[in-house]
Amino acid sequence: MCFKNLPIEFDAQGNATLKPGAANPYSYTETPAPTPIEDDPERMRELFARNGAVRRVDFDPVTRVAGALAFHTVVDLENRQVMETASMATLFRGYEIILKGRDPRDAIFISSRACGVCGGVHATCSALACEMAFGIHPPPMGVVARNMLLGIEYLYDHPIHLSLLAGPDFSEPAIRETNPEIWERAEHTRAPGRATHGYEFMSELMTDLTPLTGKLYLEGLHYTRLAREAYVLIGGKYPHPQTVVPGGVSTTIDASDLNEIMLRVVKYFDYGRKTAAIWDDLADFFYEVNPKYQDIGTRPKSMIEPGQWDDPYAYDGTFKNCDDWGRKRWAPPGVIVDGELVTTSLQMLNAGVEEFVEHAFYEEWTGDGQNQRFPTDPAGNPLSPYHPWNKDTVPKPTATNWKEKYSWSTAPRWDRQAMETGAYSRIWAAAQTGAANFRDSDYMNSTGHSLEIHLPKADLPNTPIEWSIPETWGAFERNRARAYCILYTAAIAYDNLMMAYDLLRKGGPDAKMSTPYKIPKDHQIGVGLWSAGRGYLTHHMEMDKGVIENYQILTPSTWMASPKDPFGNPGPYEEAVLATPLLENYEKPEDFKGIDVLRAIRSFDPCMPCTTHMHTDDRTITREIISCACGAEGPHEH
């Protein structure tokens, strides 16, 4: 039984039903939010009596993330702990409102504008939702082409995070400024992985992570370009591809295209090995310097992963069979609660999702909690009135109040528990699935506690690489796992390239790129169950008379940047920062930079909205938001 908190039980055949006897089974009593420290004058007087050691520190904006994120903290600098946190998504996107009344195919191209980093995954996720609603699926080559697009997109995305966004937190300038004693030690510490990555001392590695000038920073930029060059051969352009359509892709592929992609993908074999060795060395070095670095950004091992990379012969686009074709993906679905894999069923993953808005700038849409369009999914599994298929997006901007509403992010929960997601949830689910249930691959093997990756030889020896599930889960392990995901992704991209060559050689119906279709005029629903580079992604669609009635997008950073839920549980960013010890070296409170807080947040690889979209009756207004703020690294203190 995978649910502990939702009112769902299972019969002997495994069919899910609501527990009997409850008139309103999904109702709940909201837990009163604790009074923020700043709103408690007596406590503030007590805390501020500590020579100004207790301070409000706001990171606004949090730089080196995609989009706009602000983060509020109250810190005790004397005891080196974080006392209060609040994660703030500061922009309203409104894609759900923009898409109402449109042709469902428009969602592929409009939703891909949700992000300038990972637009391709939105396009594919939307196509999957359309295919379920239209009752179609691509031929094998169409599925393989989309798999290659996804793999290449990740090969673009992961180096961005590790080299350009999170990497600078471990660079020479950052270490020298916040922990000079660590820099001195790094100058005399040999790097264990020097035979793989080429750095004799840890200090040399840190120097090359320096923004704009460091070799690793510039190399990361180079590898993002290589991936984009490969992507456009099928996708037409990036970040917003033009060839992803319901039923496959609207282009053709020949051997020369595959050769060009192959020339680029194989370069990630060595790059992935080097990157994994670098992040192994960084994590282990910091743990050795101070074991408390293992506590940076810690939270429960609770993750959600829909999986991706469909089996071209198993995927049929139906909700009825999604458990079967989901488990045959190269990256299997999984929900992990406190380190335990509780389900690999896409139907149960979907049924367990709810979104709450008690602390978000939205109207509640359920009324008495019983007014829902879909009490069950297409397979008959119970759905909450707070499920995305039952959700309406109704903005309600108000003043920011830490006790009430303070973010444009909803609070998604699975089985009413806060979950995180990312490249690491993908490799974790694959590792924990075990060999008996992991798809056959010449390049990967799941052991139940690790994922072994066997790639062909490039310049470096083709010794097996193994990522093992860590005992402690925190910021350093998120970055380490994402580094290994470069190799994981390269193995899957290579596997699909081999399959594409074989399909081209054989020809026939399986080598076609797409399936013809007609848009149904009757009432239909569909869901795209997919992932972005940063984790979980779903698009829930309802359509009637050939147009969209409702469309709901749930992104990775909505899960992780979420505010507190009605049960009083913090979102993953909030929880991870609250557990973070402040290990930087500062003599006076005004010297505090908050590097450990930033390491915790950035380890999730936040991807907030790249632009804000305001919808009026007759037009859509777009304003670009420059969120790099490279010169505004420091926090704001009050």
Side-chain angles (χ1 to χ4, degrees), residues 119-143:
V121 292
H122 282 282
T124 300
C125 195
S126 187
L128 294 171
C130 288
E131 286 164 6
M132 190 175 290
F134 296 1
I136 62 169
H137 65 275
M141 182 62 100
V143 174

Side-chain angles (χ1 to χ4, degrees), residues 93 95-96 106-129 150 153 231 238-241 244 528 530-533 535-539 551-558 607-608:
R93 296 191 301 178
Y95 285 93
E96 296 87 349
D106 288 352
I108 294 173
F109 303 102
I110 292 174
S111 70
S112 81
R113 270 66 182 176
C115 185
V117 178
C118 51
V121 292
H122 282 282
T124 300
C125 195
S126 187
L128 294 171
L150 180 71
E153 186 168 351
Y231 192 98
Y238 197 85
H240 310 305
V244 177
W530 203 236
S531 273
Y536 179 108
L537 179 65
T538 55
H539 287 206
Y551 203 96
Q552 295 295 326
I553 301 172
L554 187 47
T555 66
S557 290
T558 308
C607 186
M608 314 308 291

Side-chain angles (χ1 to χ4, degrees), residues 248-553:
V249 292
S250 61
T251 188
T252 58
I253 298 175
D254 58 26
S256 65
D257 294 323
L258 297 181
N259 292 341
E260 290 290 336
I261 294 171
M262 175 70 78
L263 285 170
R264 289 160 176 81
V265 167
V266 297
K267 293 182 184 297
Y268 290 85
F269 295 177
D270 283 349
Y271 178 69
R273 290 178 186 277
K274 291 177 181 178
T275 305
I278 284 167
W279 287 92
D280 277 339
D281 284 359
L282 280 169
D284 295 344
F285 171 73
F286 274 85
Y287 293 171
E288 185 179 340
V289 166
N290 187 344
K292 288 185 178 180
Y293 275 108
Q294 295 180 73
D295 298 329
I296 300 292
T298 54
R299 66 174 305 275
K301 301 172 183 177
S302 295
M303 306 178 194
I304 189 164
E305 173 57 50
Q308 59 266 276
W309 290 297
D310 284 310
D311 184 307
Y313 296 100
Y315 171 68
D316 67 3
T318 66
F319 192 83
K320 176 184 176 182
N321 296 326
C322 69
D323 281 358
D324 180 57
W325 53 254
R327 290 182 176 119
K328 292 178 180 176
R329 288 174 156 178
W330 271 266
V335 178
I336 297 148
V337 178
D338 293 328
E340 179 186 353
L341 184 63
V342 299
T343 186
T344 59
S345 162
L346 277 177
Q347 290 190 9
M348 291 304 100
L349 180 146
N350 177 68
V353 174
E354 298 175 287
E355 286 188 75
F356 301 101
V357 296
E358 275 77 359
H359 297 288
F361 299 126
Y362 299 98
E363 289 273 12
E364 173 62 72
W365 66 88
T366 60
D368 58 5
Q370 296 177 320
N371 180 26
Q372 62 185 94
R373 292 185 292 270
F374 300 102
T376 63
D377 66 23
N381 301 302
L383 292 180
S384 167
Y386 306 100
H387 186 272
W389 262 324
N390 289 313
K391 179 189 172 191
D392 280 324
T393 299
V394 185
K396 185 184 178 181
T398 64
T400 299
N401 184 312
W402 304 127
K403 192 174 181 179
E404 296 172 0
K405 293 181 178 288
Y406 59 88
S407 179
W408 281 107
S409 174
T410 62
R413 298 293 185 264
W414 187 86
D415 194 22
R416 303 199 164 171
Q417 299 172 84
M419 313 294 284
E420 64 177 286
T421 185
Y424 41 79
S425 64
R426 187 174 311 131
I427 198 170
W428 191 308
Q432 206 161 27
T433 295
N437 298 307
F438 192 71
R439 69 168 290 125
D440 289 334
S441 172
D442 292 334
Y443 310 111
M444 291 175 293
N445 178 52
S446 172
T447 69
H449 59 82
S450 67
L451 188 71
E452 298 173 345
I453 304 167
H454 313 270
L455 283 167
K457 184 182 184 304
D459 290 332
L460 291 173
N462 60 340
T463 51
I465 295 288
E466 183 177 18
W467 177 82
S468 298
I469 293 172
E471 291 187 13
T472 302
W473 185 241
F476 283 84
E477 297 306 330
R478 291 187 188 95
N479 290 326
R480 189 202 305 251
R482 187 174 275 103
Y484 277 80
C485 279
I486 294 176
L487 291 164
Y488 178 33
T489 301
I492 295 169
Y494 190 76
D495 220 347
N496 277 272
L497 269 166
M498 296 299 101
M499 196 169 283
Y501 277 118
D502 190 52
L503 286 166
L504 267 184
R505 180 180 58 81
K506 291 178 179 176
D510 287 355
K512 292 184 179 298
M513 303 301 297
S514 61
T515 298
Y517 62 88
K518 290 184 179 180
I519 298 177
K521 299 301 180 183
D522 57 340
H523 182 267
Q524 298 287 342
I525 63 173
V527 57
L529 296 154
W530 203 236
S531 273
R534 293 161 175 85
Y536 179 108
L537 179 65
T538 55
H539 287 206
H540 286 79
M541 179 175 71
E542 177 187 4
M543 57 177 289
D544 196 18
K545 299 181 176 62
V547 299
I548 294 172
E549 287 281 310
N550 193 20
Y551 203 96
Q552 295 295 326
I553 301 172

Side-chain angles (χ1 to χ4, degrees), residues 102-297:
R102 290 183 177 269
D103 186 310
R105 294 169 297 186
D106 288 352
I108 294 173
F109 303 102
I110 292 174
S111 70
S112 81
R113 270 66 182 176
C115 185
V117 178
C118 51
V121 292
H122 282 282
T124 300
C125 195
S126 187
L128 294 171
C130 288
E131 286 164 6
M132 190 175 290
F134 296 1
I136 62 169
H137 65 275
M141 182 62 100
V143 174
V144 169
R146 292 204 304 218
N147 286 346
M148 288 192 291
L149 284 176
L150 180 71
I152 295 164
E153 186 168 351
Y154 288 177
L155 294 176
Y156 155 77
D157 192 282
H158 297 338
I160 285 179
H161 171 75
L162 294 168
S163 299
L164 281 71
L165 303 179
D169 286 339
F170 307 92
S171 66
E172 176 184 349
I175 301 298
R176 278 181 177 273
E177 186 169 1
T178 60
N179 291 94
E181 74 285 0
I182 293 180
W183 172 253
E184 291 176 10
R185 183 162 174 171
E187 288 184 300
H188 302 95
T189 301
R190 292 186 181 276
R194 55 189 177 274
T196 301
H197 55 56
Y199 291 99
E200 184 71 19
F201 291 94
M202 291 301 301
S203 57
E204 297 170 3
L205 190 159
M206 293 173 177
T207 298
D208 273 356
L209 283 170
T210 302
L212 303 179
T213 60
K215 178 183 175 182
L216 291 172
Y217 185 96
L218 297 173
E219 188 176 52
L221 279 175
H222 169 71
Y223 277 92
T224 65
R225 188 191 73 188
L226 277 183
R228 289 196 302 270
E229 290 172 353
Y231 192 98
V232 299
L233 292 165
I234 302 174
K237 62 188 289 287
Y238 197 85
H240 310 305
Q242 296 297 296
T243 62
V244 177
V245 295
V249 292
S250 61
T251 188
T252 58
I253 298 175
D254 58 26
S256 65
D257 294 323
L258 297 181
N259 292 341
E260 290 290 336
I261 294 171
M262 175 70 78
L263 285 170
R264 289 160 176 81
V265 167
V266 297
K267 293 182 184 297
Y268 290 85
F269 295 177
D270 283 349
Y271 178 69
R273 290 178 186 277
K274 291 177 181 178
T275 305
I278 284 167
W279 287 92
D280 277 339
D281 284 359
L282 280 169
D284 295 344
F285 171 73
F286 274 85
Y287 293 171
E288 185 179 340
V289 166
N290 187 344
K292 288 185 178 180
Y293 275 108
Q294 295 180 73
D295 298 329
I296 300 292

